[in-house]
Amino acid sequence: MNANILIYTLFLSFLVTQVSYAQRTFATDPEREIIVQFTDEVLTHKNEGVSGRFSDYTFTSNLIKHNLDSVGIETISTLFPEFKKEDRLVETRNGKQVTLSDWSNTMILHLPANRSREKFIELLNQLPEVVYAEANVQGSSEVIYDFRDEYDSGSEAEAFMPVTPNDPNFNRQWALKNTGTSIQGSGTPDADIDADLAWDITTGSSSIKIAIIDQGVQNSHPEFNGKITGYPTFYSNHGTMVAGIAAAYGNNSAGITGVAYSASIIDEWTGYQSASDLASAVTNASQQGAHVLNASWGIDDYSVTLRKAIRDAYLLNQVFITSAGNSEGHKYPQHIRDGMITVSGTTNNDGKFSNSSTGSWVDVAAPAGEFSEQNDRIYSTLPGGNYGYSGAGTSYAAPHVSGIAALLLSENPNLYNDDIENLIEISAEDINNNGFDNTFGHGRVNAYEALKLLQSPYVLNYGSTTGGSFYSQSGGFPMRTYDVSGLSSGLQYYVKRVEVRKNISFSYLDEPNVWCRGVESVGWTKEEDHGGAKRNYGQGFCEVVPGTLTNTSAT
């Protein structure tokens, strides 16, 4: 069908320059740690160090000094030791500036074992010298089954032909091309992402970088040798497998094939997977020039620290992709919703992965495997230069989508993160014919259908507009803002949410899809509510009003 795609945005596109301040302080004992951002010049290390004992610091606030001393704070560490306030301003290619999060005076406090962390956090958040204080909560990876008893060494269009790579274990990768054979668990043919058709358009570009923010990738594995930068010291089954799904070398007569097999990988270690470790890993990956960030993990409690890091990745026009979680477990970053792609899991029969979390915050679904038989699981790279069936989980759904995002960027490097999310969503297959739902979101992803939207006869049209009219206003409520220009970070304001609308017109299009680039909008996302506390990070947002889209206009 001759369909056009319209992207309607508020400003012009841009690329960011890179900053580099994420020398990292890793958590040592997250259960006894608190993350605190103080106001300027509250405490200073006597020898200009980045960590030390309580006695190594001087304080301009006797109140802060007294409270930290009263609980016996053992050590104080700077989260980003090399951060400078001037690092917040990043100039884009067209001269526009993006203001990133303020990490100055953000510290990790280590409490003695006999002190109540919750009560001390409550006390700190009442002090005027504290922007925010929170527990350094610990998360984990989104995989719930580990199965490794077998190791091996070592819809179609006429315009495109399938590409069958010569990797000997490609026939086990039902997620990429499902033939329904027994070696693939006798699944349903075509219950896959049509990777073989997508590769006739592009296999990816080495200039596009996927950050695997995980427990480490075996960089020396034959499938990654020479394509990985980043943290080489530690690696795990989980991180190595996730990386293989997204971007293992393809068509090299060895092992398996990654979704974007010509793309590059950034290996970013998550340490103890505490909130501080995860936030610093996201920030470090962003600053290494990642285009796509894969997060196959989650935490159970809201974290301002992690949220700030993810917000920065969005402002930097990077694509943040997270697994939906297993057994309704982890809630963050999955429940944030805006500015990221959240991925639930499917089986080789296009059913729901039995343990996949569900909710209105699920955007799309992707292959995650199942427990029924070994061949139903996901086959990928494993440490030691090995390959195997290492489990099932939404951890493995996310990197399939990260690979597709890298393919789209390889085909058109000028795409924005919002463009990529919408291209992936509108090209997904509605496998249960329910439209958008809490199980599969917009549907199971399809790499070929997404890339096809960048080919003739489809056309991407970009527009811009300003202004608008008052539409509605909420009642007043208290809300804290973070890193918003002109407002005090962490301070509680009494606010009213106002909705502004504007009608736009465009030349006649056949079945247009219209979306906005929030990253270029002056509107804000809706406030985030956790435990009755409402927060906003000034993250850009705009959307098409449901039911207003026609072939010539939208609101």
Side-chain angles (χ1 to χ4, degrees), residues 236-388:
S236 66
N237 291 334
H238 188 270
T240 302
M241 188 171 191
V242 168
I245 294 167
Y249 279 124
N251 210 35
N252 63 340
S253 301
I256 63 160
T257 311
V259 176
Y261 64 75
S262 297
S264 298
I265 293 173
I266 296 173
D267 174 15
E268 189 57 42
W269 189 52
T270 54
Y272 285 87
Q273 294 190 312
S274 66
S276 65
D277 285 347
L278 295 171
S280 59
V282 170
T283 301
N284 209 36
S286 292
Q287 293 175 4
Q288 291 182 67
H291 299 86
V292 181
L293 293 88
N294 188 94
S296 291
W297 39 259
I299 59 178
D300 294 333
D301 206 359
Y302 191 89
S303 167
V304 173
T305 309
L306 180 58
R307 183 67 183 92
K308 281 157 57 89
I310 294 172
R311 174 253 196 188
D312 284 355
Y314 179 74
L315 290 183
L316 290 169
N317 200 20
Q318 296 166 339
V319 186
F320 188 90
I321 296 171
T322 180
S323 53
N326 301 320
S327 303
E328 314 302 331
H330 294 137
K331 298 179 175 62
Y332 297 99
Q334 291 80 358
H335 287 200
I336 293 173
R337 302 184 64 173
D338 294 317
M340 63 176 60
I341 305 174
T342 303
V343 189
S344 64
T346 61
T347 68
N348 63 355
N349 289 304
D350 257 346
K352 172 185 174 292
F353 163 55
S354 57
N355 289 89
S356 179
S357 297
T358 60
S360 61
W361 35 269
V362 170
D363 294 305
V364 290
E370 191 50 280
F371 306 136
S372 307
E373 300 289 342
Q374 173 178 283
N375 293 4
D376 295 344
R377 299 177 174 93
I378 301 296
Y379 194 88
S380 187
T381 45
L382 288 169
N386 293 314
Y387 307 85

Side-chain angles (χ1 to χ4, degrees), residues 32-36 107-109 111 117 120-121 133-134:
R32 293 168 58 192
E33 292 176 344
I34 296 175
I35 306 170
V36 184
M107 308 288 187
I108 301 176
L109 310 182
L111 274 68
R117 183 167 65 168
F120 190 53
I121 289 172
E134 64 182 9

Side-chain angles (χ1 to χ4, degrees), residues 21 35 37 79-80 88 100-104 106 131-132 134 279 282-283 302-315 336 482-483 489-490 528 537 539:
Y21 56 77
I35 306 170
Q37 183 178 5
L79 180 58
F80 290 130
R88 297 186 66 196
L100 303 180
S101 294
D102 185 0
W103 297 106
S104 58
T106 305
V131 177
Y132 74 92
E134 64 182 9
V282 170
T283 301
Y302 191 89
S303 167
V304 173
T305 309
L306 180 58
R307 183 67 183 92
K308 281 157 57 89
I310 294 172
R311 174 253 196 188
D312 284 355
Y314 179 74
L315 290 183
I336 293 173
Y482 298 90
D483 301 310
S489 193
E528 297 171 10
Y537 301 81
Q539 182 173 306

Side-chain angles (χ1 to χ4, degrees), residues 8 26 43 111 122 135 172 231 240-241 307 392 409 428 544:
Y8 204 82
F26 289 101
L43 71 168
L111 274 68
E122 184 178 349
R172 300 176 187 268
Y231 206 97
T240 302
M241 188 171 191
R307 183 67 183 92
L409 277 167
V544 176

